[in-house]
Amino acid sequence: MNERLGRGLSALIPDRDSVDTAGVALGNLPLDKIKANRYQPRKDFNDEKLLELAESIKQHGIIQPLIVTKTEGSEYELIAGERRLQAARLAGLDLVPVVIRSVSKKDQLQLAIVENIQREDLNPIEEALAYQTLAEDFALTHQQIAQSMGKDRATITNSIRLLKLPLPIRGYISQGLLSSGHARAILSVEDDYQLLFADFLIKFKLNVRQAEEKAKSFVQSLSKDEETPQKTALTRSFEQELNHALGLKARVRDHKGKGSITLEYSSPEELERFKNLIKNIR
């Protein structure tokens, strides 16, 4: 495990006295030579704040260099500084200051996560997806991820658990309508009632402590005449069609026109067959 990662971006940016160290270079690059980070965990950028940063760059330039790595061709790929890169384009810059480092793909993702987390730029779902990528694509344990991020293992595990929520609820969290604390309360509710519970929390603006208390009795408190996410003939029929077409167990949840589709596989062979099916569709 790379011990530099726990120290964040300071481990990447060399002191001026050491810029001639092998594998490190400090200089300027044309914007059109820098590609976006393929492992960038942050998906949503605030347009208004980007414009504010662009105006600041016009007046003061880029104070902190972007960090890039050399690709096999003549281009460079961003490691850290996605907002500065986008704002520099908006500001009309041709050249930007950079630190050039040689890093592995794993380090590239980890450092992009570190930068965003230290600036509190990632929403909880983006953070969870980034940790999941480290776990699945780079075969890191939750403990190893925690060490590299300077967090405890339970924090990483709880973050990744958010991805078990139905997509509409994950959307609520990404939009800031619900917090990670709300999400943990929702996960304690039976699967078929999670979306209904999430809507309830938003409607009545419950805080996290209230959500945790309500989660203990929410299902039992539903009145008989209240709409609950019961399966209709349409959803059952659709589930059967998906089971037949995909060869996987499918569950369809619908409530007031919103819901989720969950696919379950019981062996690596079933998962591989599904991956091949998706590839053929593309």
Side-chain angles (χ1 to χ4, degrees):
M1 176 57 56
N2 191 336
E3 294 180 355
R4 296 177 304 163
L5 297 174
R7 302 203 306 273
L9 291 179
S10 60
L12 271 183
I13 304 176
D15 296 331
R16 290 191 176 274
D17 294 338
S18 62
V19 294
D20 58 348
T21 302
V24 178
L26 180 62
N28 294 300
L29 283 177
L31 270 177
D32 58 7
K33 292 290 185 181
I34 303 175
K35 298 193 303 182
N37 184 348
R38 77 189 92 172
Y39 300 112
Q40 169 62 243
R42 190 177 177 204
K43 308 303 179 186
D44 298 320
F45 293 87
N46 186 300
D47 291 339
E48 183 177 345
K49 290 185 177 180
L50 273 180
L51 288 173
E52 290 176 0
L53 181 57
E55 287 300 317
S56 175
I57 288 174
K58 286 179 182 179
Q59 295 181 34
H60 308 291
I62 296 180
I63 306 301
Q64 182 180 353
L66 283 66
I67 303 173
V68 301
T69 186
K70 186 75 168 62
T71 63
E72 294 179 358
S74 61
E75 294 182 321
Y76 296 82
E77 187 167 2
L78 191 69
I79 297 175
E82 179 71 32
R83 289 183 68 250
R84 277 165 281 153
L85 179 65
Q86 292 193 27
R89 290 197 175 104
L90 291 174
L93 269 61
D94 296 320
L95 296 173
V96 291
V98 298
V99 172
I100 304 171
R101 292 297 300 258
S102 296
V103 298
S104 68
K105 293 179 180 178
K106 179 179 69 176
D107 285 357
Q108 193 172 344
L109 171 60
Q110 287 175 311
L111 291 164
I113 298 170
V114 168
E115 183 194 35
N116 282 287
I117 290 175
Q118 287 180 345
R119 288 175 169 79
E120 298 182 348
D121 282 340
L122 293 181
N123 68 55
I125 297 302
E126 289 173 332
E127 188 173 341
L129 287 168
Y131 293 151
Q132 184 184 58
T133 299
L134 286 172
E136 294 184 352
D137 292 3
F138 298 100
L140 296 182
T141 66
H142 290 188
Q143 183 61 40
Q144 289 173 320
I145 298 171
Q147 289 173 349
S148 69
M149 296 298 160
K151 297 178 178 287
D152 59 72
R153 184 202 56 78
T155 298
I156 303 301
T157 300
N158 287 333
S159 176
I160 294 176
R161 282 186 67 224
L162 299 183
L163 302 180
K164 294 182 178 180
L165 290 165
L167 282 175
I169 300 179
R170 287 161 59 176
Y172 293 159
I173 297 169
S174 295
Q175 296 164 33
L177 297 175
L178 294 172
S179 69
S180 297
H182 288 111
R184 287 191 290 273
I186 294 169
L187 283 166
S188 68
V189 173
E190 294 176 30
D191 290 357
D192 288 339
Y193 296 91
Q194 287 180 351
L195 183 57
L196 189 64
F197 185 47
D199 289 335
F200 179 88
L201 297 181
I202 294 172
K203 179 179 180 180
F204 293 101
K205 300 180 181 179
L206 270 62
N207 61 36
V208 172
R209 179 170 294 183
Q210 291 170 330
E212 291 171 344
E213 285 300 314
K214 187 62 179 178
K216 299 174 183 177
S217 59
F218 178 72
V219 176
Q220 293 78 6
S221 68
L222 293 173
S223 60
K224 292 183 179 181
D225 58 347
E226 185 176 0
E227 287 189 55
T228 58
Q230 300 293 331
K231 291 188 183 299
T232 65
L234 182 60
T235 56
R236 285 194 296 269
S237 174
F238 188 36
E239 283 181 344
Q240 293 175 357
E241 291 178 11
L242 288 173
N243 291 341
H244 178 73
L246 303 178
L248 298 175
K249 181 179 178 181
R251 288 196 298 173
V252 178
R253 301 190 188 95
D254 178 81
H255 180 65
K256 297 181 179 180
K258 295 185 293 184
S260 64
I261 298 174
T262 304
L263 301 176
E264 299 179 7
Y265 58 91
S266 57
S267 69
E269 291 74 21
E270 282 191 355
L271 178 59
E272 190 62 31
R273 188 165 58 247
F274 180 64
K275 288 181 179 178
N276 292 332
L277 178 63
I278 296 298
K279 289 179 182 178
N280 292 333
I281 292 175
R282 291 177 182 174

